[in-house]
Structures are given as C-alpha cells and as structure tokens.
Amino acid sequence: MDVSTRVDVDGEVFEIVARRDRPGQYSYNWISGPNPGYGFAGSRSGGVEATLAEHMINIREFLSAVDPETGFIE
C-alpha cells in the first residue's frame, strides 16, 4: 500500500504519495491548485527516501515553473 502525506508549502497544499513497491519514487498531487489532478512525480536513485526538506525543495521548484495564469507548466 502506498503512503501519503499532506504538506503546506508557501500556502499551497500537496499530497506526497510514496510508492511502497518502488522505494524513492513519489507523486506530488497539488491539492490546492487550480487544476484538479495536476502535479508531478520525482524519484531518488538507489531507493533512498527523500527528506521533508527535499520534498519542499521539489515542490518549490515545481511551483516556480507554473504559469500563474494557467496553473500549468507551459
């Protein structure tokens, strides 16, 4: 079973889903975003789990690439 955690990063809510069958792989679902179901995925090599600080960096990088008018990465 996958494990999920909700986090608030700079006022935006994301659900981080850790794949138990593939350690080190994550889905980041943008819960508070303007487009339902939108988000991104990421992974670490060697099956190493990411820290909360690393997750927050990933989310901030994603948000910095999002077009504020469309809510998507263009």
Side-chain angles (χ1 to χ4, degrees), residues 35 38 65-74:
N35 302 304
Y38 195 61
V66 170
D67 181 324
E69 291 185 28
T70 67
F72 291 108
I73 293 177
E74 301 297 326

Side-chain angles (χ1 to χ4, degrees), residues 3-14:
V3 176
S4 66
T5 303
R6 283 195 181 204
V7 296
D8 183 306
V9 178
D10 303 331
E12 297 293 342
V13 179
F14 282 80

